[in-house]
Amino acid sequence: MKTAFASLAVLPFTLAAVHQIAVGGDNIFAFNPNNIVADVGDVLSFQFNVKNHTATQSSFASPCTKLLGADNLTPVGFNSGFNPVAAGSLDLPVFNVTVNDSKPIWVYCAQKNPFSHCAEKGMVFAANAPTTGNTFQAFLNNALASGNSTTSTTTTTSATAAWTSPPAPEIVTVTATVTEGDTTYLTTYASWEGSAAPTAAPQPVNHVIVVGGSAGLVFTPSNITASINDTVTFQFESKNHTATQSSFSNPCTELAKTSATGQVGFDSGFMPVGVNDTNFPSLTITVNDTAPIWGYCRQTNPTSHCGSGMVFSINAVEDSPNNFAAFQGLAIHNSGSSASTTSSGSASSPSSSDSGKKSGATRVSLGGASVLVGVVAVVFGMML
């Protein structure tokens, strides 16, 4: 393992924490986690995965540009340089950065081949981002907005005016034989061009997504890849959020209200959690196929969380124009006011059919009870 270390000062010995941050991966254009709180003396340990990424310091105002000095010419921040990693490689480079003060640290991936990982994919990271004002979500929005402004054919200073709506997704019908242990069954479902083959994981994995909390208006991580029979657990932390299934074309609207095929989708209901609470409610879903799953937080008090970019995806096709960054950009642009109708493949799709296997309904665990998606509609009072 190759390890680089960056620090601006020698600190006295302390019991520092080491924060492990995965950079990229197989069809993943993200830092994971992408928003953390770190104390002085802690170490940010960036571990580079498949493809060729960087961990480069930037600024809140210019997320996708190296941090420059007072002359606006000389780079003054840390930069890992490019770290190419071949698929299947076990030799993963590591770049360590010591936290020297409590100021926000803004980071991005500087890869631009064949597209900007920062501006087009939102591949950014923050440590100690404020929870109001210059938040991580605002930083991410700035990064994505810089991509819109550079690719737009119209010169404008408005991210909204520069917005280019992604094309409608190409829906295909997938029919495949899936083997789970000693059991083999046929499955047919609506999916997207380029989605992963429908294979079951030898050992199902539980993916945990933190909803809200100290990270702010964000799902952490917000974009994951999961196999058939994997579970995804949404863990709700401070404030009052939901995990609600939607569709790519209507990011901020419940799937049941827009589906042309009668899909219902899952919805946790509102989950109020106090700032100092340690008992976190959760919602767990099971992934039934590899079609993309889109979702959002439907809290609108005092502002639309979805319209602020609080969305997530499971099995998004990242090398297509309808990837997670496009989904999030559409949510921010529409602010939850979309009216078009599309079909969305998902774990809870009632249109899915498994011959001799599953009914297509996703079972969820909510507050310790196992219920069918669409049955749970618990609404609590708003917590600001």
Side-chain angles (χ1 to χ4, degrees), residues 21-381:
I21 303 148
V23 185
D26 187 12
N27 207 29
I28 297 174
F29 301 93
F31 293 87
N32 185 19
N34 57 11
N35 184 22
I36 68 169
V37 176
D39 294 326
V40 174
D42 284 2
V43 174
L44 310 180
S45 185
F46 297 93
Q47 184 178 70
F48 296 89
N49 294 312
V50 177
K51 302 295 185 181
N52 192 4
H53 303 286
T54 80
T56 305
Q57 190 172 8
S58 63
S59 64
F60 178 84
S62 300
C64 302
T65 304
K66 292 180 182 178
L67 181 65
L68 301 178
D71 60 0
N72 286 324
L73 295 173
T74 307
V76 296
F78 59 79
N79 183 15
S80 68
F82 287 97
N83 287 271
V85 179
S89 175
L90 299 179
D91 185 18
L92 303 180
V94 173
F95 178 70
N96 292 330
V97 176
T98 299
V99 177
N100 292 332
D101 55 46
S102 59
K103 296 178 181 178
I105 298 173
W106 310 105
V107 181
Y108 74 108
C109 175
Q111 180 62 266
K112 294 183 179 180
N113 186 9
F115 48 79
S116 170
H117 290 189
C118 177
E120 296 187 40
K121 300 292 186 179
M123 191 171 178
V124 294
F125 166 86
N128 298 329
T131 56
T132 59
N134 293 348
T135 63
F136 170 76
Q137 189 60 54
F139 177 61
L140 174 61
N141 293 349
N142 284 349
L144 294 171
S146 70
N148 290 336
S149 61
T150 57
T151 57
S152 173
T153 56
T154 303
T155 301
T156 176
T157 57
S158 169
T160 300
W163 167 258
T164 300
S165 180
E170 296 183 25
I171 306 300
V172 296
T173 299
V174 175
T175 300
T177 300
V178 178
T179 300
E180 297 178 15
D182 297 330
T183 303
T184 299
Y185 64 93
L186 185 68
T187 181
T188 300
Y189 59 95
S191 188
W192 288 34
E193 187 70 40
S195 289
T199 56
Q203 294 294 329
V205 174
N206 181 50
H207 307 265
V208 177
I209 297 177
V210 175
V211 186
S214 61
L217 303 184
V218 65
F219 292 86
T220 307
S222 53
N223 182 24
I224 68 169
T225 300
S227 300
I228 293 175
N229 285 340
D230 280 3
T231 54
V232 179
T233 296
F234 297 91
Q235 178 176 294
F236 297 87
E237 299 193 358
S238 61
K239 299 303 178 75
N240 191 4
H241 303 288
T242 79
T244 305
Q245 191 173 4
S246 62
S247 65
F248 181 86
S249 299
N250 298 272
C252 302
T253 303
E254 295 163 75
L255 181 61
K257 295 181 179 179
T258 64
S259 174
T261 58
Q263 293 168 286
V264 177
F266 57 84
D267 179 29
S268 66
F270 287 98
M271 297 287 189
V273 179
V275 173
N276 297 318
D277 285 357
T278 56
N279 185 23
F280 302 125
S282 64
L283 167 77
T284 297
I285 66 170
T286 300
V287 176
N288 288 343
D289 56 49
T290 58
I293 300 171
W294 311 100
Y296 72 109
C297 173
R298 58 184 177 87
Q299 178 64 271
T300 58
N301 187 3
T303 59
S304 168
H305 289 191
C306 182
S308 298
M310 191 172 180
V311 296
F312 68 88
S313 65
I314 303 170
N315 293 331
V317 183
E318 283 301 299
D319 59 357
S320 81
N322 304 113
N323 52 33
F324 171 74
F327 176 64
Q328 185 176 56
L330 193 59
I332 295 169
H333 175 73
N334 289 349
S335 297
S337 59
S338 179
S340 61
T341 301
T342 63
S343 174
S344 173
S346 74
S348 60
S349 169
S351 64
S352 301
S353 61
D354 298 334
S355 176
K357 180 62 179 177
K358 295 186 177 74
S359 65
T362 299
R363 297 198 68 83
V364 302
S365 173
L366 177 59
S370 181
V371 296
L372 280 174
V373 165
V375 174
V376 180
V378 182
V379 180
F380 299 91

